[in-house]
Amino acid sequence: MATRKSRLLVIGNGMAALRLLEEIVALAPNRFEITVVGEESEPAYNRVLLSPLLAGEITSADVRMKPRAWYGAHGITLATSVEVTALDTAAKSARRSDGRDVPFDSCVLATGSAPIRLSFPGSDLPGVEVFRALDDIARLAGPSARAANAVVIGGGLLGIEAAYGLKRAGAHVTLVHLMDRLMERQLDASAAALLKCAIERKGISVCLSAETARVDGRGKAEKLVLKDGREIDAALVVMAVGIKPRSTLAVEAGISCRRGIAVDDRMETDSPGIYAIGECAEHRGAVYGLVEPAYEQARVAARALCGLDATYSGTVLATNLKVSGVPVFSAGDFEGAGSDPVLWRDEMSGSYRKFVIRDDKLAGVVLVGDTTDALWYRDLIRSGEPITPFRSTLCFGRAYAEAA
C-alpha cells in the first residue's frame, strides 16, 4: 500500500514561491503533493524586469521565469487568477475565491506585498495608477500614456525605475520625491546627488522635498499640485512610494503578525506547520523588500519542510543594480554615523565610492558608476574579515587589495 504524500499548499506564486518550489523539487522531488494558488493571471515572473518591459527594451516573454508546463512536469498543481480568502489553521484547510477548499498538511504563505496607495484629493481619478505588477504594464504602456505628461511620486528604487521606463516609452516625465535626496534608504547624500544628475541627463525632471497636495482634473488626471503651490501637468500619475506586507490572511487566521507575518529562524509561524517567506514575512523585526533575502528564506523553508537542518539568521541588505542605466550598489551601514569613512571620487567618469570602516572591519559601502567588485565588498561585510592587510588599497578593488 502506497504511503500518502504530504500535502503542501503554497499561497502566492511570486519569485519567493517559485524559488521554494525549485528547492523542494531538488531536495525531495517525491515527498509532497504540492498545490500552488496565485491571484495573478500569470505564473511567477521577474518583477525586477518590469521597468525594462515598460520601457520596451524587452518583451513579456523575457520576464517569465518558468512555463506552466514546468509545474505540471514536477507534479505541482498550479491555480492562477484565484485567491485564498480564508485559512483554517486548526482544520488545516484553505478556502479559495472560487469556493473550493484545499486541505493541507503544511502551508507556506508567500503572499508578497501590496503597493502603498496615497490618499489625497484626486487620488481616485482615472490616470492615477500604481506600478507593481505585470498587469500594471498594460495601463502604463498604452498609446495615451506614452504621449502623456507623466508624474511619478516616489524617489526610491521602484519610482526611479518607473520614471525611467515611462521616459523610454516616450512620456514626458517628472519625478517627485518627499525627501531631500533620492533612494535615501540605499544611498548617502553624495551618491544620491550623482544619481540625480544622471537621471536628469536622461531627460527626467526631478523635484525633491516635494509633497503632493492633490491631483486636479475634470473626470481624469490633468495636473498634480504640490503643497508649495507648484503645478505639474500630468495626464498620468504613478504612485511608487513603497510597499506593505500582505498579511491580512494570516491576521484573520489568528497567526501572529506585526509589520509582517512573524516567523522564527526556520521561517515557521506560531501556527505549527505554517510558514511564511518573502516580502510578507517578518523575521527578527525585519521585513525585507528585496529578492536576495526572499531567496534565502525560501531555501531555509524548503529545508525545514523536508526535515533538514535550516536556520535563517537574517540578511545583510545589499542593493546591486542599474538604476536608470546607472550602476549602483550599497550594503551594510553605508551612512557610517560616528565613523571615519574612506571616500574616492572620479569626476571624469562620475564614479563614487564610500567605505565605512569600524573596528578594522568593513561595515558599509556605497558604489556609483563602477560596481565591479560589489559582491566582494558585500562578502567582506558579511564575513567580518579584518581588512588591515589591504585597507590602504580597499577603494581600488579586489585585485589591488589582494596584490597588497
Side-chain angles (χ1 to χ4, degrees), residues 107-355:
C107 173
V108 178
L109 296 165
T111 49
S113 59
I116 295 172
R117 190 170 185 114
L118 299 174
S119 179
F120 49 73
S123 61
D124 57 349
L125 284 172
V128 181
E129 305 284 355
V130 294
F131 178 54
R132 178 64 182 161
L134 187 60
D135 290 344
D136 298 328
I137 299 293
R139 296 191 300 276
L140 299 181
S144 59
R146 288 199 298 269
N149 289 312
V151 172
V152 176
I153 304 174
L157 172 60
L158 190 62
I160 294 172
E161 290 295 345
Y164 175 68
L166 287 168
K167 179 63 180 178
R168 291 280 295 176
H172 304 285
V173 183
T174 300
L175 181 64
V176 172
H177 191 41
L178 179 63
M179 308 303 289
D180 62 355
R181 72 176 193 252
L182 299 172
M183 290 185 68
E184 69 280 354
R185 294 184 179 180
Q186 291 88 17
L187 300 177
D188 67 351
S190 295
L194 282 173
L195 179 60
K196 178 177 180 289
C197 290
I199 290 172
E200 289 174 330
R201 284 197 298 270
K202 296 180 181 295
I204 298 171
S205 299
V206 179
C207 294
L208 299 176
S209 301
E211 186 173 0
T212 300
R214 65 183 188 274
V215 172
D216 288 345
R218 296 181 179 179
K220 62 179 181 179
E222 294 176 354
K223 65 181 177 182
L224 181 137
V225 181
L226 300 175
K227 287 195 173 179
D228 61 11
R230 283 179 290 173
E231 298 182 354
I232 306 170
D233 289 339
L236 175 65
V237 176
V238 180
M239 297 184 195
V241 294
I243 56 177
K244 55 186 177 182
R246 299 185 62 188
S247 57
T248 301
L249 185 65
V251 170
E252 293 177 348
I255 296 171
S256 178
C257 296
R258 293 184 286 269
R259 290 172 56 213
I261 303 169
V263 296
D264 61 17
D265 290 351
R266 289 166 54 84
M267 306 310 297
E268 191 170 15
T269 70
D270 63 351
S271 181
I274 298 181
Y275 299 74
I277 60 173
E279 294 174 346
C280 68
E282 178 180 340
H283 174 263
R284 298 187 186 179
V287 176
Y288 301 99
L290 298 172
V291 174
E292 184 183 7
Y295 280 178
E296 291 181 15
Q297 292 173 2
R299 181 186 63 81
V300 169
R303 291 184 62 82
L305 285 161
C306 292
L308 302 172
D309 290 338
T311 299
Y312 179 67
S313 57
T315 302
V316 174
L317 287 179
T319 302
N320 186 21
L321 37 81
K322 280 192 174 182
V323 184
S324 301
V326 180
V328 171
F329 174 82
S330 71
D333 177 17
F334 62 86
E335 289 285 8
S339 67
D340 186 18
V342 176
L343 303 176
W344 181 86
R345 189 164 184 165
D346 185 344
E347 299 291 347
M348 293 294 292
S349 66
S351 295
Y352 170 79
R353 295 186 169 201
K354 175 183 178 180
F355 302 90

